[in-house]
Amino acid sequence: MNILLVEDDSVLRDGLINILNTSGYHVTATESGAYALRLLDAEDFDLIVLDLGLPDMDGLDVLRRLRKDKIALPVLILTARDTVNDRIEGINQGADDYLTKPFDLGELEARIHALIRRCYAGFNQIIKVGQLQLDTQNHQIFTQDKTLTLSIRENALLEILMLQTGKVVCKERISQRLAVDGDALADNAIEVVIHRLRKRIQPYQANIRTVRGLGYLLEETEHGV
Ligand code: CA
């Protein structure tokens, strides 16, 4: 999951980057609303954490602009403004959730998890692909009633593919998600994990398709192999 964090308080920003990285999210951070809009044009994000009081523009204007063409992208607003009117204005402009400063970092993390679950799993806690089932709450993958025993990397990889079933997940995102101590995984190492995982899931009517030059895509197959 790729998060865009737009926050000009450097202490808060660094704290958020830290806690979100630890949870396995990749974070791109900026303090500028204008730069955030440029990033949104250039890159794919899964969620935005947006401060309203930015040095160069009002966060609500960022929200208005991005809602014009990114209708479905979940947005969590951070603000020191805590009046009911501001909250209503944020929701009206298309924010999905709203957190008033000061807040607990753990609370923010929980809200982000919940928002991602809500937006990408169609409110379902369990995502099914073929005979595979991902429990998005505890990150476990099952087949029928049994837990599928995978390495930590294989499990993390299958989770991001299942969360984006039918969509191409790019190599960069996989590399960041499977990074060890902040070191992104090399292409050939990714291919090794993909190859192993593909074999493991084939009996369960699921396949990882390589989309040349773009990345990988998880799809259901008619029959287990
Ligand atoms: Ca601010």
Side-chain angles (χ1 to χ4, degrees):
M1 287 280 153
N2 217 0
I3 294 180
L4 175 61
L5 169 63
V6 193
E7 168 62 67
D8 61 315
D9 178 335
S10 62
V11 175
L12 179 56
R13 194 173 59 228
D14 290 348
L16 287 174
I17 292 172
N18 231 328
I19 196 168
L20 292 173
N21 280 342
T22 308
S23 299
Y25 297 108
H26 179 254
V27 183
T28 305
T30 175
E31 58 171 28
S32 153
Y35 188 61
L37 287 169
R38 285 216 295 279
L39 283 170
L40 283 161
D41 273 342
E43 283 180 48
D44 273 341
F45 293 97
D46 301 297
L47 182 132
I48 305 178
V49 179
L50 177 66
D51 178 31
L52 288 191
L54 298 170
D56 59 338
M57 59 194 285
D58 189 321
L60 283 178
D61 288 329
V62 177
L63 184 59
R64 262 177 225 125
R65 297 260 291 273
L66 84 88
R67 274 300 177 240
K68 277 189 185 160
D69 49 13
K70 299 199 186 281
I71 306 292
L73 189 63
V75 178
L76 172 64
I77 282 192
L78 305 179
T79 181
R81 308 172 190 172
D82 59 353
T83 68
V84 173
N85 277 346
D86 283 327
R87 185 178 295 253
I88 291 170
E89 177 69 6
I91 299 290
N92 280 346
Q93 295 302 331
D96 298 277
D97 201 358
Y98 200 97
L99 213 53
T100 306
K101 295 178 187 177
F103 52 81
D104 178 67
L105 286 182
E107 167 73 13
L108 178 89
E109 196 196 358
R111 298 280 192 104
I112 287 176
H113 280 315
L115 205 50
I116 283 177
R117 263 204 317 274
R118 184 144 63 84
C119 294
Y120 293 97
F123 299 92
N124 281 336
Q125 189 187 319
I126 305 286
I127 297 175
K128 292 182 187 167
V129 180
Q131 294 169 11
L132 298 171
Q133 299 191 12
L134 165 69
D135 185 333
T136 56
Q137 201 107 48
N138 62 18
H139 312 285
Q140 282 199 321
I141 294 157
F142 299 88
T143 60
Q144 278 104 16
D145 289 331
K146 284 184 293 224
T147 308
L148 189 63
T149 324
L150 298 169
S151 73
I152 292 172
R153 267 192 182 161
E154 289 164 356
N155 201 93
L157 174 60
L158 188 51
E159 184 180 13
I160 47 173
L161 290 170
M162 287 186 81
L163 284 167
Q164 306 267 341
T165 299
K167 292 185 195 157
V168 176
V169 180
C170 68
K171 269 191 178 172
E172 290 75 37
R173 193 167 298 177
I174 292 172
S175 157
Q176 287 151 2
R177 180 64 184 86
L178 302 188
V180 181
D181 299 329
D183 289 331
L185 211 62
D187 276 9
N188 54 357
I190 294 177
E191 278 156 25
V192 170
V193 187
I194 291 274
H195 179 75
R196 275 206 311 259
L197 185 59
R198 187 181 278 138
K199 277 193 173 161
R200 287 302 314 279
I201 65 173
Q202 257 170 7
Y204 307 108
Q205 297 179 316
N207 180 47
I208 301 170
R209 180 145 58 94
T210 304
V211 183
R212 204 168 280 278
L214 289 175
Y216 301 95
L217 174 153
L218 183 70
E219 60 191 1
E220 277 191 25
T221 54
E222 294 262 309
H223 306 286
V225 178

